[in-house]
Each structure stands twice: as structure tokens, then as C-alpha cells.
Amino acid sequence: QRFYLGLLLAVSSSVFIGSSFIIKKIGLIRLTKQGHLRASDGGFGYLKDWIWWTGLICMGLGEALNFAAYAFAPASLVTPLGALSVIVAAILSSKFLNERLNVLGKIGCFLCIIGSIIIVIHSPKESVESQNIQQIYNSLGSSAFVIYTVIVIIISLSISCYYGPKYGNKNVIVYIILCSAIGSLTVMGCKILGTAIKDTVNGKSGFNSASPYIVLLITISFIAIQI
């Protein structure tokens, strides 16, 4: 039951996040038609627009649901299901923004759906409720994870200091790699915090040390880098 609760939270998160992009876009288009300076040109009129704020709230709610999903379902299930937000955005943009997907776009959406179904079917159904914060910390101390973390940091610093400034404006894949690399560590941070909160709710000590607070600061930093 906890697995399916996590699955429901992950799917609901994608719906809210996918919808948020469209709602915010509608607000920005509305402001442009009213003669406000575009946000890309330095305008800040969207900060006074209730439609844009509705979209932002939907995104915040979606991210909160996604965060909660990590406490109930495996990260290997929750993270890939985020791709469903692309499907939601594509459908709503066609309905409300008159945007049309080409053949490759439709194939991409189809592959996202098929991939999500395969992930749900074959995702591990182990009882995540048996995992506690200490077990996760022990896993993070393994040599494989330490080596992976070092590799991610080296790649991220290389992109931030050299490849990003030099090639980032020419090829978007440069920043996608940076975002994805840091995102893989962000997932672990969310998993730790979600488990700590779950342990606290269950009467266990999830925040009885400095570690969760350090993870919180690191996770916020990683999210800022991705943005």
C-alpha cells in the first residue's frame, strides 16, 4: 500500500508540475497582450499577476508531492515518473496555447508513456517502510557512491568553470548534463530528508543529529544550481 501511495504521489506531482508551466505561460502571454514588458526583457509585471502566481503555487505543490513520494516509493520509480509532466504539458499546450507537436514530439511522448509503464511494472516493490535514516547513511558511505559523487563533482565543476561559459550558449546539452548530474545527487538528498521526516512522524528520531540539516543545505544548494 505504501508503494502505491508513493506511485500516486509521483503521478500527481507530474500533473501539477506539467500544468504549472502552461498556467504561467498563459499569464505571461496575457501580460504581453496588455502591453507589459516581457519577462525575458527584464519586465517584472508577472509578479503582480494572479495567474502566474497560480502556476507557481501549482509547481510548488507538485514539488512537495514529489518530495513526499520519496518517503514511500523507491527513488528508481519516483524520479523517472517526472517525465510524465512533459506529457501533461504537451497535452495542455495543445489545448490552451494552440501549440502542435510534430511527429518526433509525438513519438517522444509515446516513449515517455511506455517507459513509465515499464518502470512501474518492474520497479522494486520492497517494503521501503523498513528503511531508516541510518541505513541510508550507511549506503552512502560505500566506495561506489563516494566514487560516483567525486565524478559528478568533477564533471559539474568542469562544466561550470569551462565548458558552460564556452559552449553553453551554443549547445543546450551542456547545461542539461550539468543539471542531470547535480540532479542525481539532489534525488538522494530528497530521499534522505523524506525518510527523516517519515521516521519523525513514526515516533523515531529522524533529526537527532546534524546530518539531516547538512543534507538540507546541500539539497537546497543543488536545486539552486539546477535552476
Side-chain angles (χ1 to χ4, degrees), residues 57-80:
I57 292 173
C58 284
M59 175 171 284
L61 181 58
E63 293 294 353
L65 292 174
N66 186 65
F67 180 83
Y70 283 109
F72 298 97
S76 58
L77 170 71
V78 177
T79 305

Side-chain angles (χ1 to χ4, degrees), residues 31-43:
L31 289 172
T32 301
K33 290 181 178 179
Q34 293 176 352
H36 291 272
L37 186 65
R38 292 172 58 90
S40 58
D41 296 327

Side-chain angles (χ1 to χ4, degrees), residues 3-219:
F3 172 85
Y4 292 105
L5 175 59
L7 174 62
L8 177 62
L9 289 171
V11 173
S12 300
S13 167
S14 296
V15 173
F16 278 104
I17 293 175
S19 302
S20 71
F21 295 125
I22 307 305
I23 296 174
K24 287 191 291 185
K25 181 69 173 180
I26 291 174
L28 293 174
I29 293 176
R30 174 171 167 268
L31 289 172
T32 301
K33 290 181 178 179
Q34 293 176 352
H36 291 272
L37 186 65
R38 292 172 58 90
S40 58
D41 296 327
F44 296 97
Y46 61 91
L47 295 177
K48 300 179 181 179
D49 184 69
W50 67 271
I51 296 181
W52 186 88
W53 278 104
T54 300
L56 185 65
I57 292 173
C58 284
M59 175 171 284
L61 181 58
E63 293 294 353
L65 292 174
N66 186 65
F67 180 83
Y70 283 109
F72 298 97
S76 58
L77 170 71
V78 177
T79 305
L81 284 180
L84 291 178
S85 63
V86 177
I87 310 297
V88 175
I91 295 174
L92 294 180
S93 64
S94 175
K95 176 70 174 178
F96 297 102
L97 299 177
N98 296 320
E99 296 180 0
R100 295 291 181 267
L101 287 176
N102 56 24
V103 176
L104 289 179
K106 293 178 181 178
I107 292 176
C109 290
F110 175 75
L111 292 177
C112 284
I113 295 174
I114 295 299
S116 298
I117 293 174
I118 293 175
I119 288 172
V120 171
I121 293 175
H122 297 284
S123 179
K125 305 297 191 301
E126 75 271 11
S127 180
V128 295
E129 59 185 309
S130 63
Q131 297 178 342
N132 57 47
I133 195 69
Q134 192 57 48
Q135 290 174 325
I136 296 179
Y137 286 147
N138 293 337
S139 300
L140 296 182
S142 65
S143 58
F145 184 78
V146 172
I147 292 173
Y148 174 78
T149 303
V150 171
I151 292 174
V152 168
I153 292 175
I154 292 174
I155 292 175
S156 301
L157 289 175
S158 299
I159 294 176
S160 299
C161 299
Y162 179 74
Y163 293 102
K166 188 172 183 178
Y167 302 107
N169 292 330
K170 301 176 183 178
N171 195 331
V172 70
I173 194 67
V174 174
Y175 289 118
I176 290 178
I177 293 174
L178 173 62
C179 185
S180 299
I182 294 296
S184 65
L185 298 181
T186 306
V187 167
M188 293 307 303
C190 292
K191 181 68 175 179
I192 292 172
L193 294 173
T195 303
I197 293 174
K198 183 186 69 174
D199 287 350
T200 302
V201 172
N202 291 335
K204 303 176 183 178
S205 299
F207 291 89
N208 61 344
S209 66
S211 298
Y213 300 100
I214 295 175
V215 171
L216 176 61
L217 293 176
I218 294 175
T219 302

